[in-house]
C-alpha cells in the first residue's frame, strides 16, 4: 500500500508539482529508512560467532552510512529552490534598459591541449554577441603555435615562466594583467555559445552577487557511455549534479563554483586574494571563500557552453580521483567547508555533502564484497525471513527506486546510473586510503583529442574487477550448491544472498566491459541531429537530403530515394550561417552516405565550428528513456557484442535542431529561415 503514494506522485513531473508533494515523499522515505534501520539494529544481526558478528556489524555500518547520508541531499531539498531559467529574459531586458556595460576579461587557461581543442574554445570566446570583451589565452606550456593562434583570432596572449600552483596560479597571473569589471573563465576545451555573456551579465547587476555559475555540458560521450554503447540510454555522470544538486544548493546560497563556464565580479575576487592557490579544487574553495565574505553565488540552470569529457576510461577515472582528492583536501583548508566562517548550518551541510559523495565509496565497496561471505564462508551477514523482506525491505527499496528519478527531475535513473559507480568504486577507495595516509596527487590536465589506432584495456581498473568477477562466480556456485543441498524453501538469507550474488556478478562484468576502450581514429566529436540539407554540384544538380550526424571531419546523410551520384564537385549546404562545404564520399549504405569534408579553408572550418558548437540553445536537456528497456539493451549488447565505432555506427551526442539559425554579424544577430 505504501508504494501507491510514490506511484501517484510520479504521474506528474516534480517541477510541476506543489512543494508539499516533494516534502511528503521525503518524509515517507525518511520514515521507511528509520524503520528499516531499527529492524537492522535489533533483529537482523548474525551473532553466532565472532566472524559472523564482525561481518554483520560491518554490513550494518555500511548500510547505515549510505542510508543516512542518502537522506542528506533529500532534506537539503526540503526548501524551495530557484530555477533561474525563467528569469533570463527579464534580467536581460532589465540589463539592456540600464546603462551598465562592464568590460569582461575572458580567461582561457591552457596547458598543452591540442590546437584543435583550444581553437574551438577561442572561436566561441571571440564571437560573443557582447562586444566589450578581451579574451586572454593563459598558456602554461609556452608554445609558439598557441601564441600564433591567439594572434590570429585577436586574443591577448600571456605566458608565465614559473608554473606554480597549477590552474589557480595561472589564472591569478592572468588577472594581474586584466582590468575589467567582470571576469569569465572557460577551460581550454569549453566552447561558449554566442550569447553566453549577454544572457549572464544581467544576473550580476545586483551589487552583492559575486558569481554566476552555469552547467557543464559535453560534446562527446564519456567513456562509460561510449564503451558500453549506451549513449542513447545513459545520461552523463555530471548530469545529476548540474540538474539537481546545484539547484538545491542554490536554494541555500551554497552554489559550487565548478571551475569553468562562470562569470565573476573582479572586485569580489580581489577581496579573497584571487583564486585560492595550493588547492587541487581551487574552484570549490574559491567559491566558499567568496561566500565567506558575504557575497552571493547564483546558479543558472541553462546550458550555455560545452566541453570535452575524458576520452579514455583511464583518464576518466584519474579525473575523478583528482576531484575526490581535491574535495577531501578542502577539509584542511581555511576556505574549506569545515573551517570557513560565516556559513549557515544549511550552507555548511550543503558544501559537506560534496565531501560525503566521495566518502561513500568505502561503504559501497563493503556492499560489493559482502555477498562473498554467503558462498565462500558460509556466513549470512544479515538474518531475515520472508516477512521482513515483504514488510521492511520491499517498501523502502521500492519507494526509493520509484522516487529517485522523480525527485531529481530525471537527472539520473535508479539503476543505470550506478554503472559508473561500479567502475569508480575500487580506484576511488584507493584514493581515499592514500589521502588518509597523507599522499596527495598533483594537478594533471586530462588529455583530450587523442587518436588510438587500436583498442585497449585500462588494466589498473580491469584487474581488480576481473578478480572480483572470479570471486563472485565462485561465490555464486557455492550458494547454488548450498541451496541444492538444503532445498530452495521460502525467501530467506540464502535466497537473498543468491540474488545479491547474481547482481554483483552482473555489475562487475558490466564494469569490466566498460574498461575496454575501442579504437579512436577520428578524435572529432560527432553530433546527432535531423536537419534538412541539399547536395549540389557544378552541373547544377540539386539533391535534397537530411543530416543525421555531423562533425568537424565529416557528415552522414540520409536520402529518401537512391543515393545520387556524388561527383568531385559535390557540395553540401544546410544553413545560411555556413557556406556550402565540399564533400568526398567515404562509404555508402542503402539510402545513407558517409562523407568526409573536402579541403576546407580556415574560414570555412571556423564557420563550421561556430555552427556546430556556438549556436544559441544548441544543447538539449535530455530525458532518460525507460530504464527497463535500457537494462535490456545493455544485457543484449553484452551477450551479442556491439559493432565497432565507425560510419553509421558512431557514438553520438544529441544536438538540438532549430528551424531558424542565427547569423552573426558583429554585434547584430539576425534570424534566417533555413
Amino acid at each position: 500500500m505504501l508504494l501507491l503514494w510514490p506511484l501517484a506522485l510520479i504521474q506528474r513531473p516534480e517541477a510541476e508539482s506543489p512543494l508539499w508533494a516533494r516534502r511528503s515523499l521525503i518524509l515517507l522515505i525518511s520514515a521507511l529508512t528509520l524503520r528499516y534501520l531499527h529492524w537492522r539494529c535489533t533483529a537482523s544481526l548474525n551473532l553466532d560467532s565472532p566472524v559472523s558478528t564482525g561481518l554483520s556489524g560491518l554490513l550494518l555500518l555500511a548500510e547505515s552510512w549510505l542510508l543516512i547520508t542518502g537522506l542528506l541531499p533529500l532534506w537539503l531539498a526540503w526548501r524551495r529552490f530557484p530555477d533561474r531559467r525563467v528569469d533570463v529574459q527579464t534580467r536581460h531586458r532589465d540589463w539592456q534598459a540600464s546603462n551598465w556595460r562592464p568590460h569582461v576579461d575572458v580567461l582561457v587557461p591552457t596547458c598543452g591541449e591540442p590546437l584543435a581543442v583550444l581553437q574551438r574554445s577561442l572561436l566561441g570566446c571571440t564571437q560573443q554577441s557582447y562586444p566589450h570583451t578581451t579574451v586572454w589565452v593563459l598558456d602554461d606550456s609556452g608554445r609558439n603555435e598557441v601564441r600564433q593562434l591567439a594572434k590570429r583570432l585577436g586574443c591577448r596572449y600571456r605566458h608565465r615562466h614559473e608554473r606554480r600552483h597549477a590552474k589557480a596560479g595561472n589564472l591569478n597571473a592572468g588577472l594581474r594583467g586584466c582590468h575589467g569589471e567582470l571576469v569569465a573563465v572557460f577551460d581550454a576545451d569549453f566552447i561558449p555559445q554566442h550569447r553566453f555573456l549577454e544572457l549572464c551579465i544581467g544576473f550580476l547587476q545586483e551589487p552583492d552577487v559575486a558569481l554566476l555559475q552555469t552547467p557543464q555540458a559535453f560534446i562527446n560521450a564519456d567513456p562509460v557511455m561510449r564503451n558500453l554503447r549506451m549513449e542513447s540510454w545513459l545520461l552523463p555522470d555530471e548530469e545529476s549534479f548540474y540538474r539537481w544538486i546545484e539547484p538545491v544548493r542554490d536554494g541555500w546560497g551554497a552554489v559550487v563554483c565548478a571551475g569553468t563556464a562562470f562569470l565573476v565580479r573582479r572586485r569580489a575576487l580581489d577581496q579573497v586574494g584571487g583564486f585560492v592557490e595550493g588547492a587541487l579544487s581551487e574552484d570549490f574553495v574559491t567559491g566558499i571563500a567568496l561566500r565567506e565574505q558575504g557575497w552571493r553565488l547564483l546558479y543558472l540552470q541553462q546550458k550555455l557552453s560545452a566541453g570535452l569529457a575524458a576520452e579514455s576510461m583511464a583518464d576518466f577515472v584519474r579525473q575523478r580521483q583528482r576531484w575526490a582528492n581535491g574535495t577531501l583536501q578542502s577539509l584542511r583548508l581555511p576556505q574549506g567547508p569545515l573551517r570557513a566562517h560565516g556559513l549557515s548550518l544549511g550552507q555548511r551541510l550543503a558544501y559537506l555533502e560534496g565531501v560525503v559523495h566521495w566518502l561513500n565509496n568505502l561503504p559501497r565497496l563493503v556492499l560489493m564484497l559482502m555477498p562473498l561471505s554467503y558462498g565462500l564462508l558460509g556466513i549470512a551477514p544479515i538474518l531475515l525471513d520472508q516477512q521482513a523482506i515483504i514488510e521492511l525491505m520491499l517498501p523502502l527499496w521500492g519507494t526509493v527506486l520509484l522516487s529517485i528519478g522523480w525527485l531529481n527531475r530525471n537527472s539520473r535513473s535508479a539503476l543505470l546510473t550506478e554503472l559508473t559507480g561500479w567502475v569508480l568504486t575500487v580506484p576511488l577507495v584507493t584514493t581515499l586510503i592514500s589521502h588518509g595516509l597523507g599522499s596527495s596527487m598533483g594537478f594533471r590536465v586530462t588529455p583530450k583529442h587523442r587518436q588510438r589506432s587500436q583498442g585497449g584495456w585500462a588494466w589498473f581498473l580491469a584487474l581488480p574487477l576481473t578478480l572480483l568477477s572470479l570471486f563472485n562466480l565462485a561465490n555464486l556456485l557455492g550458494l547454488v550448491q548450498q541451496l541444492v543441498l538444503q532445498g530452495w524453501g521460502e525467501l530467506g538469507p540464502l535466497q537473498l544472498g543468491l540474488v545479491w550474488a547474481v547482481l554483483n556478478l552482473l555489475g562487475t562484468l558490466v564494469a569490466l566491459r566498460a574498461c575496454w576502450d575501442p579504437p579512436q581514429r577520428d578524435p572529432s566529436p560527432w553530433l546527432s541531429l535531423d536537419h534538412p540539407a541539399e547536395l549540389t554540384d557544378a552541373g547544377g544538380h540539386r539533391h535534397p537530403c537530411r543530416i543525421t550526424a555531423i562533425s568537424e571531419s565529416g557528415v552522414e546523410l540520409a536520402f529518401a530515394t537512391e543515393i545520387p551520384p556524388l561527383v568531385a564537385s559535390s557540395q553540401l549546404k544546410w544553413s545560411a550561417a555556413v557556406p556550402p562545404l565540399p564533400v568526398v564520399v567515404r562509404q555508402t549504405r542503402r539510402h545513407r552516405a558517409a562523407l568526409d569534408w573536402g579541403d576546407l579553408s580556415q574560414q570555412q572550418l571556423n564557420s563550421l565550428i561556430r555552427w556546430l558548437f556556438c549556436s544559441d540553445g544548441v544543447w538539449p536537456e535530455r530525458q532518460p528513456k525507460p530504464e527497463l528497456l535500457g537494462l535490456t539493451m545493455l544485457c543484449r549488447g553484452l551477450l551479442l557484442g556491439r559493432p565497432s565505432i565507425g560510419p553509421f555506427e558512431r557514438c553520438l551526442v544529441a544536438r538540438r535542431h532549430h528551424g531558424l539559425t542565427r547569423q552573426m554579424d558583429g554585434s547584430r544577430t539576425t534570424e534566417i529561415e533555413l
Side-chain angles (χ1 to χ4, degrees), residues 60-292:
L60 175 61
L61 286 175
E63 274 193 278
S64 300
W65 174 272
L66 290 174
L67 286 170
I68 292 171
T69 58
L71 292 178
L72 177 57
L74 290 183
W75 278 98
L76 287 172
W78 182 264
R79 68 164 52 181
R80 194 181 304 276
F81 50 87
D83 186 347
R84 303 189 189 279
R85 290 174 295 183
V86 301
D87 299 331
V88 168
Q89 296 305 321
T90 302
R91 297 283 188 132
H92 183 250
R93 285 195 299 268
D94 292 344
W95 167 72
Q96 283 188 315
S98 73
N99 296 319
W100 189 51
R101 298 294 184 269
H103 191 86
V104 182
D105 288 305
V106 182
L107 307 185
V108 184
T110 177
C111 187
E113 290 86 356
L115 284 186
V117 173
L118 181 59
Q119 179 174 293
R120 295 186 198 125
S121 178
L122 297 183
L123 284 171
C125 293
T126 56
Q127 294 296 315
Q128 288 294 298
S129 60
Y130 183 72
H132 308 295
T133 63
T134 302
V135 180
W136 295 82
V137 180
L138 310 179
D139 181 21
D140 255 1
S141 61
R143 294 178 293 169
N144 186 59
E145 54 266 36
V146 174
R147 184 189 299 270
Q148 295 301 318
L149 176 64
K151 182 180 180 181
R152 177 164 59 83
L153 295 178
C155 306
R156 303 285 296 275
Y157 177 87
R158 180 176 290 270
H159 168 62
R160 58 176 184 151
H161 297 287
E162 294 185 2
R163 291 174 52 181
R164 299 179 62 226
H165 304 299
K167 180 181 175 182
N170 194 9
L171 288 170
N172 287 334
L175 284 176
R176 287 192 282 272
C178 302
H179 304 285
E181 189 174 348
L182 303 179
V183 176
V185 177
F186 297 99
D187 285 347
D189 62 303
F190 263 79
I191 317 160
Q193 294 174 16
H194 177 56
R195 300 181 68 206
F196 180 97
L197 293 177
E198 188 180 333
L199 296 176
C200 291
I201 286 176
F203 289 91
L204 274 78
Q205 277 193 284
E206 299 178 39
D208 61 342
V209 174
L211 182 144
L212 180 73
Q213 180 66 57
T214 66
Q216 295 184 13
F218 296 94
I219 61 179
N220 61 329
D222 69 44
V224 176
M225 299 164 64
R226 181 200 63 213
N227 294 356
L228 296 175
R229 298 303 307 270
M230 293 290 291
E231 61 273 10
S232 299
W233 303 92
L234 277 173
L235 297 181
D237 184 40
E238 300 85 357
E239 196 77 5
S240 64
F241 178 81
Y242 290 107
R243 282 170 59 176
W244 173 246
I245 301 297
E246 276 279 53
V248 168
R249 292 179 179 178
D250 195 7
W252 290 93
V255 169
V256 172
C257 176
T260 185
F262 66 88
L263 187 64
V264 62
R265 197 182 303 274
R266 174 64 186 270
R267 181 164 61 88
L269 268 182
D270 290 342
Q271 187 175 344
V272 299
F275 295 93
V276 177
E277 299 179 347
L280 284 173
S281 296
E282 85 293 331
D283 45 5
F284 181 54
V285 293
T286 299
I288 297 176
L290 291 169
R291 180 68 258 185
E292 186 180 19

Side-chain angles (χ1 to χ4, degrees), residues 18-19 107 131 228 249 343 352 358 372 389 394 451 476 580 641:
L19 183 60
L107 307 185
L228 296 175
R249 292 179 179 178
L343 302 180
L352 284 172
W358 301 110
L372 300 179
I389 293 174
L394 287 182
Q451 292 179 291
L476 186 60

Side-chain angles (χ1 to χ4, degrees), residues 119 123 152-153 577-581 599-611:
Q119 179 174 293
L123 284 171
R152 177 164 59 83
L153 295 178
V578 184
L581 301 182
D599 188 15
L600 301 184
S601 67
Q602 191 62 58
Q603 183 179 1
Q604 288 174 319
L605 179 59
N606 290 352
S607 297
L608 174 63
I609 292 173
R610 292 187 187 110
W611 185 87

